[in-house]
Amino acid sequence: MCVKVRHVIANESNEDIIAEKVMDIIKAREQSKRESDYQQWCDRFANLPANSGRTLKDGFIAGVELQPSRWIQHGLDLIGSRKAFGTIQLMDGNTGPDLRSFLPYAVFQMGAEIFLKGMWLYKHQECREVHASAYVAPDRRDFFLREMKNISRTHDLLEIIGHVEPIEVYSKDDQIRRFLKIVAGISKEYYLPVTQGKSPWADERYPKRFYDDSSKVGGADAVQTYPEHWPIARLFAETSDRIEFVWRNESSD
């Protein structure tokens, strides 16, 4: 009886060893193929012709987008581009929430700016009427481009919010008024620039070092903290729906 038990255990052990070796072989092949694919990808871009590059269809030029919803969506895409540290694996095999995630300064600043400028574009009926295949004359494109640049030439989120808040459709809506206050609060608490210069909101995107010139001491920024990503993403997503709702109602009145 003991011999039979030992024989069964030995067979199971051998099967486990074989299965493990098979998995190792499969992983090695996958890794080899992935490495080969990566090298081919690098070689492709390292050996492009000198005149290669993106091209437009004949007769087309790229200009400013004036469809507000496109600005809103692009802002949402950036706000969704979080930096995450691990995710929870659920028992059913699906991926759960992040263990920790946040938006670095440059991502939040650009995403919020584009979203807010989309809100500003909505106040112009001419822009609200722009659809996917609409044509806008050069003089009108130039006009709105100048206007958007003048909202804040230094990319100051608080200044941009100051231009969006007075828009009547927004000032009458409690949810949107609260959204603008929250974004201003987040900006002040976590993303307010500490860089000195003419365009601190733009300059803050670059790596920085801190200096005490009187004592000639410097130090890297190694303790920067940012808020959790998920409530920011939810805030912008819910407000996007609300913006579309209030302007749809405004157009139907």
Side-chain angles (χ1 to χ4, degrees):
M1 185 68 178
C2 293
V3 173
K4 183 177 181 181
V5 170
R6 280 198 292 269
H7 179 70
V8 171
I9 292 174
N11 284 341
E12 290 179 350
S13 179
N14 289 336
E15 288 174 0
D16 291 341
I17 292 172
I18 293 172
E20 186 175 340
K21 288 183 177 180
V22 170
M23 289 302 300
D24 289 342
I25 293 171
I26 293 173
K27 288 179 181 179
R29 287 177 177 174
E30 289 177 348
Q31 185 175 353
S32 176
K33 183 180 184 305
R34 188 172 181 82
E35 179 64 22
S36 175
D37 291 345
Y38 172 70
Q39 294 302 332
Q40 290 178 26
W41 181 85
C42 290
D43 289 343
R44 176 185 168 231
F45 290 104
N47 296 290
L48 287 175
N51 62 348
S52 65
R54 297 173 67 191
T55 59
L56 296 174
K57 294 180 181 179
D58 289 343
F60 281 84
I61 61 171
V64 63
E65 173 63 83
L66 296 178
Q67 188 175 3
S69 60
R70 294 284 301 278
W71 283 72
I72 295 290
Q73 185 56 56
H74 191 49
L76 285 177
D77 291 343
L78 284 168
I79 293 296
S81 302
R82 71 200 186 282
K83 180 176 179 61
F85 295 94
T87 54
I88 298 173
Q89 194 70 26
L90 302 179
M91 293 184 66
D92 59 6
N94 292 320
T95 300
D98 299 322
L99 293 174
R100 168 86 171 96
S101 60
F102 66 91
L103 291 174
Y105 174 87
V107 181
F108 175 81
Q109 191 275 330
M110 288 189 291
E113 178 180 4
I114 292 170
F115 190 97
L116 291 166
K117 287 185 175 178
M119 294 180 68
W120 178 85
L121 278 173
Y122 260 115
K123 79 172 185 175
H124 301 280
Q125 183 175 349
E126 183 178 353
C127 295
R128 296 198 302 273
E129 292 175 351
V130 174
H131 52 80
S133 59
Y135 171 77
V136 181
D139 61 324
R140 299 308 293 163
R141 300 198 304 261
D142 292 343
F143 168 77
F144 282 110
L145 182 59
R146 287 195 305 271
E147 289 292 299
M148 277 195 288
K149 286 183 176 179
N150 288 332
I151 292 174
S152 176
R153 291 192 168 272
T154 60
H155 307 277
D156 185 328
L157 292 182
L158 301 180
E159 186 177 5
I160 298 170
I161 290 172
H163 282 268
V164 174
E165 281 180 322
I167 297 173
E168 186 177 2
V169 171
Y170 300 144
S171 65
K172 294 189 301 184
D173 188 87
D174 291 341
Q175 181 178 335
I176 295 178
R177 283 205 318 273
R178 179 173 170 79
F179 163 77
L180 293 171
K181 288 183 180 298
I182 293 172
V183 174
I186 294 170
S187 301
K188 293 175 182 177
E189 188 75 15
Y190 293 101
Y191 296 99
L192 193 68
V194 295
T195 306
Q196 303 297 316
K198 293 183 178 179
S199 299
W201 287 85
D203 295 342
E204 189 79 7
R205 293 175 293 186
Y206 304 111
K208 65 187 71 64
R209 178 170 290 272
F210 296 95
Y211 301 94
D212 184 337
D213 290 329
S214 61
S215 59
K216 293 182 171 52
V217 174
D221 177 16
V223 291
Q224 180 68 60
T225 59
Y226 295 111
E228 279 282 352
H229 167 259
W230 72 264
I232 295 177
R234 174 177 170 177
L235 175 72
F236 276 81
E238 291 178 349
T239 304
S240 170
D241 293 338
R242 186 64 183 178
I243 291 168
E244 183 180 350
F245 173 79
V246 296
W247 283 112
R248 188 167 58 245
N249 283 357
E250 181 74 10
S251 300
S252 63
D253 290 344

